[in-house]
Amino acid sequence: MYLRIIGKDLKRKKTMNIILLLFVILSAMFTASGVNNIMVVEKGLDHYFEKAGMADYYILSHKSNGVDTVEELLQNSENAKAYRKDDVIYTSEDNFKRNGKKLIEYSSVSMVQSLSNSDFNFFDSENKIVKEVESGKMYIAGAIAEKSDLQIGDKFTLKIGEINMEFEFAGTLKDALFGSEMMGNPRMLISEEDYEKIANDDQVKQYASGSVYFIETDNLTALQSEISDAENIYLMIDNDTVKLTYFMNMIIATIILILSIGLIIVSFAVLRFTIGFTIAEEFREIGVMKAIGLKNNSIRLLYLAKYFCIAFVGAVVGYFLNIPFGKILIKSVSENMVLENQNSAVIGILCCIAVVVIILFFSWNCTGKIKKLSPIDAVRSGQTGERFHKKSILHLGKTKLKSTAFLALNDVFSQPKQFSIITAIFAICTVFVMVLSVSANTLGSEKMLKLLGITKSDVYFIDSKRITDVISGAKNIDETKQEISNILAENNMPASVYIEEWYNLSVTANGKKYKMNFVWCDDTETTDYTYTEGTAPIYENEIALTEVIAEKMGVKIGDTLTIGIDGEDKEFILTALFQSIMQTGNVGRFCEEFEIPNELMTGAVGYQINFDDNPDEEMISERIEKLKDIFDNNKNIYDTRGFINAITGVSDTIKSVRDFVLAISLIVIILIAVLMERSFISKEKAEIALMKAIGFKSGAIMAQHTGRFLISVILAQLIAVGLCVPLLMLCIDPIFSTMGATGGIEYQFNVVEQFVIYPLIITATVAVSSFLTAIYMNTIKASDTANIE
């Protein structure tokens, strides 16, 4: 008997049951993929670093004429428990060619090394450890390989020194140490045989050879102080700081985590409401079943069986859909990371079982109302005729609204619980899109220049070849600036060229030594930059430090620090503090009046170009296209926004996530509007028939029903606007704080996009969905007042 009743009920209410099934599927899918992604994000970097074989501390050094002074220091160090070394060859984008043109374009110095030379684990695009590299083949860091549209099997040449060798692209490479966008030093893997041929070249030995040291230590602070005087060091960095270089990826991961939690909450809220709603409207069936002798528990078990069938089917479908859905969500984060959950299948199954159990709990809880219903309720249409409180705060006699608008507004106030849930769901979907939009715009805006410690220019040219020549000693920085300036003048684009130079130096403060990066530019003034405290250094013996490094050293404005420069200790006065996310906040700045030998330079962001004739943005865009041809560089010449996106490497990705979230939100909104409106029509069949009987047209009633949803979505937009900034500060500020922006960031709001376009899209979706669903009430006639069936 139960099976026959359940079968007939499922057929009789196909629309409602199908929509309920869809939400069960969404709940199972969101829960399984969401929980898996939360676990992946939470343990992601630790798991990745463990698999890769990371250490406590890392040094990237340059050999001067084949001599490396770092290894001798480590051998005699009391604080280096153990170390291992990867020998590398430094290269730039100009070293790689295909058909006479650049194979790949990237913004910094790269490294080529042998796999057999390393105890470090590299991973391919399938997250498998690379165990062998055949002679004549090369694995290339994934980020730059993908940007260059390389396909496995493509042939290219590597020309460095007197060596000119042909290689075949073997696949993309994931490198835990140098794989983040912020680290910016991609590594390539070749065979031991090929590496030896290149490493034995005399020019390579003199200018392009170096080492990566992986050091284990129990006393990191003492080790840093002990080796702070080492020469020819490009980079010294600890494990925690390497993790911070993935913070752009973690911004996306955090957003995905919040999205997953939000979707889970939305799905269960709708399920709870829907189950309770459908049971509440079946007063007639329940009354009849009680009249023929069925007990309360028998009726409740009947409903439980029905929802178990729906929940089971939905959970099974949701489980299989969560697999591709979860991969889509996490894909944008895992392009240069190994993020995986070994127990994803088990967790997915457990989550789907949990969904079924929760739905059954909801069902059992909602069916508790059955005890209060009696056979007479079937006759009274589920109403007792008694009400001891006002149904609404509105009064028909006092309103100046038209009947349709009044009825819509009155319905919202009369049923606050129902419409507050709808409003909350619309608000959650809207605020997600707003937060992502603001985040993407902020990370691609000129406001980020302050956090990068860079002044605004017309054009930014990241030329890894010239920078590599300076670092290796083949050229000095003034020669490269003059080269670029001459080329611009020859092409009728006279301009000034300058560059922010980086120096890795030893600093002594409060009796302790530190190794940190200093920025210096003799073509700008320190007053051009932004400071959070103090005054810009204007004399050659004055410096500015980030708040992060000043706190680490225990110094404040007015204190004196000793900096080792070219074998000589010099004293400097700290005059200002600032914020920077470069080098995770471990940065200082020299005054332009100070003179420092160019040969000590260890890096640079890129050349900055300011045209003499002050062109407008349109002219700058045209010149950028010309410069790409002149310098044979299609991807490393930018305007301000392009440059910022190249440095952070995440703005475009967040925009893609935003569009994906918008699509998911619209699907959820459509389902909500259709489900709720269909439920309202079913529940209010008698009222609709009565309104038609007293002269209301179908169009007016449809407008009333649509108006209710419009009121809810407008309220939701207002709530979303109010929650946008607090949610940004709660989720995004802490991530930037760990990178050095301790005072928060200045968000970039595009008012038209965030507070007009997206709300209009969501509002229009709600209006169209509810209106089209409301058309169903055309099947209700005035005569139906006598028969609610």
Side-chain angles (χ1 to χ4, degrees):
M1 179 182 72
Y2 273 11
L3 292 177
R4 287 201 304 274
I5 294 174
I6 293 170
K8 288 182 178 180
D9 184 79
L10 291 173
K11 290 179 182 178
R12 182 170 59 90
K13 295 189 174 182
K14 287 182 181 178
T15 303
M16 294 295 295
N17 289 326
I18 288 173
I19 294 174
L20 183 58
L21 176 63
L22 287 174
F23 269 102
V24 174
I25 292 172
L26 287 176
S27 296
M29 182 175 75
F30 290 155
T31 304
S33 61
V35 172
N36 267 312
N37 287 344
I38 289 169
M39 296 187 69
V40 165
V41 170
E42 182 185 0
K43 301 179 180 179
L45 276 176
D46 290 333
H47 176 67
Y48 181 28
F49 280 20
E50 183 180 346
K51 288 190 69 174
M54 297 283 276
D56 298 317
Y57 199 64
Y58 313 93
I59 298 176
L60 179 58
S61 70
H62 174 255
K63 295 179 181 178
S64 179
N65 294 316
V67 178
D68 189 345
T69 60
V70 175
E71 188 161 16
E72 183 179 350
L73 282 172
L74 291 176
Q75 288 174 345
N76 298 319
S77 171
E78 297 179 356
N79 298 294
K81 288 172 49 183
Y83 73 90
R84 58 188 194 273
K85 179 179 73 169
D86 286 1
D87 289 326
V88 298
I89 296 168
Y90 295 110
T91 55
S92 70
E93 60 182 7
D94 279 10
N95 296 125
F96 299 90
K97 302 284 185 180
R98 178 170 54 180
N99 300 325
K101 298 182 179 180
K102 287 182 183 178
L103 170 70
I104 46 183
E105 292 184 352
Y106 50 93
S107 59
S108 55
V109 177
S110 58
M111 294 168 280
V112 172
Q113 75 170 78
S114 162
L115 178 62
S116 57
N117 179 21
S118 177
D119 292 326
F120 189 76
N121 288 328
F122 300 89
F123 302 86
D124 61 19
S125 58
E126 301 297 322
N127 293 339
K128 296 179 180 177
I129 296 175
V130 178
K131 296 183 177 180
E132 181 183 6
V133 183
E134 297 178 21
S135 179
K137 293 189 177 183
M138 180 185 292
Y139 281 90
I140 298 179
I144 59 174
E146 290 173 9
K147 291 177 182 177
S148 304
D149 298 323
L150 274 170
Q151 303 295 321
I152 293 177
D154 286 354
K155 299 291 182 68
F156 57 92
T157 59
L158 169 61
K159 187 178 187 311
I160 181 170
E162 298 298 322
I163 301 295
N164 193 346
M165 295 177 63
E166 183 177 74
F167 284 93
E168 178 182 321
F169 180 52
T172 57
L173 188 73
K174 294 184 180 183
D175 176 5
L177 179 54
F178 294 106
S180 69
E181 294 280 353
M182 292 293 290
M183 189 65 80
N185 297 104
R187 282 200 280 188
M188 290 79 162
L189 286 184
I190 58 177
S191 68
E192 177 69 19
E193 178 186 349
D194 293 335
Y195 180 83
E196 290 298 329
K197 289 179 183 178
I198 301 171
N200 288 327
D201 180 80
D202 290 336
Q203 290 188 37
V204 171
K205 286 181 180 178
Q206 184 174 3
Y207 297 114
S209 62
S211 299
V212 180
Y213 289 92
F214 300 78
I215 308 166
E216 303 292 343
T217 180
D218 290 330
N219 193 335
L220 183 59
T221 303
L223 176 67
Q224 289 173 321
S225 179
E226 191 175 29
I227 60 177
S228 60
D229 292 328
E231 298 178 353
N232 299 321
I233 290 181
Y234 286 158
L235 178 70
M236 296 171 66
I237 191 169
D238 60 73
N239 206 42
D240 290 338
T241 306
V242 175
K243 289 181 181 180
L244 291 178
T245 66
Y246 285 89
F247 92 109
M248 290 299 179
N249 302 82
M250 299 319 294
I251 287 177
I252 301 173
T254 302
I255 290 169
I256 290 171
L257 187 151
I258 296 169
L259 171 65
S260 299
I261 294 173
L263 291 174
I264 292 170
I265 293 172
V266 167
S267 298
F268 282 124
V270 172
L271 278 174
R272 170 67 179 85
F273 179 76
T274 305
I275 293 170
F277 189 88
T278 53
I279 290 175
E281 72 169 343
E282 294 185 352
F283 57 86
R284 187 177 183 88
E285 292 87 340
I286 294 170
V288 170
M289 284 189 283
K290 284 199 171 185
I292 63 175
L294 288 177
K295 302 296 184 182
N296 286 327
N297 285 342
S298 298
I299 300 172
R300 295 179 76 179
L301 288 172
L302 180 63
Y303 279 101
L304 211 62
K306 169 190 170 181
Y307 288 116
F308 174 77
C309 294
I310 295 175
F312 179 78
V313 173
V316 171
V317 176
Y319 170 77
F320 287 104
L321 289 178
N322 106 86
I323 299 172
F325 181 72
K327 289 181 179 179
I328 290 172
L329 282 178
I330 210 71
K331 181 181 178 182
S332 58
V333 187
S334 60
E335 288 180 352
N336 57 356
M337 300 167 62
V338 177
L339 292 182
E340 55 187 9
N341 186 353
Q342 301 292 340
N343 301 311
S344 59
V346 175
I347 291 172
I349 292 172
L350 291 176
C351 287
C352 291
I353 292 173
V355 169
V356 174
V357 172
I358 291 170
I359 290 172
L360 293 180
F361 172 78
F362 285 166
S363 303
W364 184 257
N365 185 48
C366 292
T367 55
K369 299 176 182 178
I370 290 174
K371 298 176 182 178
K372 300 179 181 179
L373 295 175
S374 64
I376 199 66
D377 287 308
V379 179
R380 291 176 174 171
S381 300
Q383 304 293 328
T384 63
E386 298 176 334
R387 186 173 75 240
F388 301 101
H389 57 84
K390 290 182 179 181
K391 191 175 183 182
S392 172
I393 61 174
L394 300 179
H395 300 279
L396 182 60
K398 297 179 181 180
T399 185
K400 294 182 180 180
L401 297 172
K402 291 185 179 181
S403 58
T404 300
F406 173 81
L407 289 171
L409 195 59
N410 187 66
D411 285 346
V412 173
F413 283 111
S414 299
Q415 304 173 73
K417 186 176 180 180
Q418 294 179 3
F419 285 98
S420 61
I421 293 175
I422 296 172
T423 301
I425 292 170
F426 290 162
I428 290 172
C429 293
T430 304
V431 78
F432 277 155
V433 178
M434 285 182 176
V435 166
L436 287 171
S437 181
V438 175
S439 299
N441 288 338
T442 299
L443 289 167
S445 73
E446 293 182 5
K447 293 180 180 180
M448 287 295 293
L449 286 175
K450 295 178 182 179
L451 293 181
L452 296 174
I454 296 172
T455 54
K456 189 179 185 312
S457 295
D458 294 333
V459 176
Y460 300 82
F461 178 23
I462 303 177
D463 188 342
S464 63
K465 174 62 170 64
R466 286 182 171 86
I467 292 173
T468 303
D469 287 343
V470 173
I471 293 172
S472 65
K475 294 181 180 179
N476 67 52
I477 194 68
D478 290 329
E479 287 176 355
T480 62
K481 289 192 293 184
Q482 192 60 50
E483 281 179 8
I484 297 172
S485 182
N486 291 341
I487 293 172
L488 292 171
E490 290 169 4
N491 288 273
N492 300 315
M493 290 181 283
S496 60
V497 180
Y498 62 97
I499 189 170
E500 300 276 359
E501 303 168 26
W502 288 77
Y503 296 86
N504 192 261
L505 303 170
S506 173
V507 181
T508 303
N510 294 324
K512 294 183 180 179
K513 284 188 175 182
Y514 305 85
K515 199 81 168 181
M516 60 172 289
N517 286 285
F518 280 87
V519 189
W520 178 73
C521 180
D522 61 346
D523 295 303
T524 62
E525 296 180 359
T526 50
T527 52
D528 296 335
Y529 303 87
T530 302
Y531 303 90
T532 57
E533 187 179 343
T535 57
I538 57 175
Y539 298 108
E540 63 178 30
N541 67 331
E542 295 180 344
I543 59 169
L545 296 177
T546 60
E547 295 176 344
V548 171
I549 195 67
E551 183 179 353
K552 181 179 179 181
M553 292 180 177
V555 296
K556 60 183 182 298
I557 292 175
D559 287 352
T560 300
L561 298 86
T562 302
I563 302 176
I565 301 172
D566 200 20
E568 182 182 352
D569 288 341
K570 296 185 178 182
E571 292 189 344
F572 293 83
I573 299 172
L574 176 61
T575 66
L577 301 178
F578 63 98
Q579 293 188 121
S580 176
I581 61 172
M582 299 297 283
Q583 300 293 322
T584 63
N586 294 302
V587 182
R589 177 173 289 280
F590 288 120
C591 174
E592 70 274 5
E593 299 296 328
F594 180 68
E595 294 185 4
I596 185 168
N598 283 152
E599 55 267 24
L600 298 180
M601 182 177 132
T602 55
V605 176
Y607 295 90
Q608 295 177 238
I609 300 170
N610 284 324
F611 297 110
D612 293 345
D613 55 352
N614 298 316
D616 58 20
E617 290 187 7
E618 184 178 352
M619 179 60 71
I620 290 174
S621 297
E622 292 177 4
R623 289 183 178 180
I624 286 175
E625 295 305 314
K626 291 180 182 178
L627 292 176
K628 289 179 179 179
D629 292 331
I630 293 170
F631 289 102
D632 186 25
N633 196 315
N634 291 320
K635 295 184 178 179
N636 290 323
I637 300 177
Y638 310 96
D639 60 9
T640 302
R641 290 182 179 274
F643 171 72
I644 291 170
N645 189 48
I647 296 298
T648 60
V650 76
S651 178
D652 289 342
T653 304
I654 291 184
K655 287 180 180 178
S656 299
V657 174
R658 176 201 63 197
D659 294 340
F660 177 73
V661 171
L662 177 61
I664 292 294
S665 297
L666 291 178
I667 292 171
V668 171
I669 286 169
I670 290 170
L671 289 173
I672 292 288
V674 172
L675 170 68
M676 301 312 298
E677 176 56 19
R678 188 65 181 83
S679 300
F680 287 143
I681 292 173
S682 177
K683 178 184 178 183
E684 299 169 11
K685 186 174 182 180
E687 289 91 333
I688 295 170
L690 180 61
M691 291 177 71
K692 288 189 175 185
I694 62 177
F696 278 87
K697 302 294 184 183
S698 292
I701 304 174
M702 290 163 60
Q704 173 206 345
H705 280 235
T706 304
R708 300 189 297 195
F709 285 93
L710 284 175
I711 293 169
S712 292
V713 77
I714 290 171
L715 289 173
Q717 310 296 332
L718 297 174
I719 293 171
V721 169
L723 291 176
C724 184
V725 173
L727 195 58
L728 280 167
M729 296 175 67
L730 178 66
C731 302
I732 307 301
D733 275 13
I735 299 175
F736 276 93
S737 179
T738 61
M739 287 302 298
T742 53
I745 63 174
E746 188 178 352
Y747 289 104
Q748 177 69 40
F749 291 91
N750 185 328
V751 175
V752 174
E753 178 184 280
Q754 282 124 35
F755 304 126
V756 177
I757 294 177
Y758 292 123
L760 282 178
I761 291 173
I762 292 172
T763 301
T765 301
V766 171
V768 171
S769 301
S770 57
F771 180 79
L772 292 177
T773 309
I775 294 175
Y776 177 77
M777 67 178 61
N778 285 329
T779 60
I780 300 175
K781 301 175 184 178
S783 58
D784 289 328
T785 52
N787 181 14
I788 65 169
E789 287 295 298

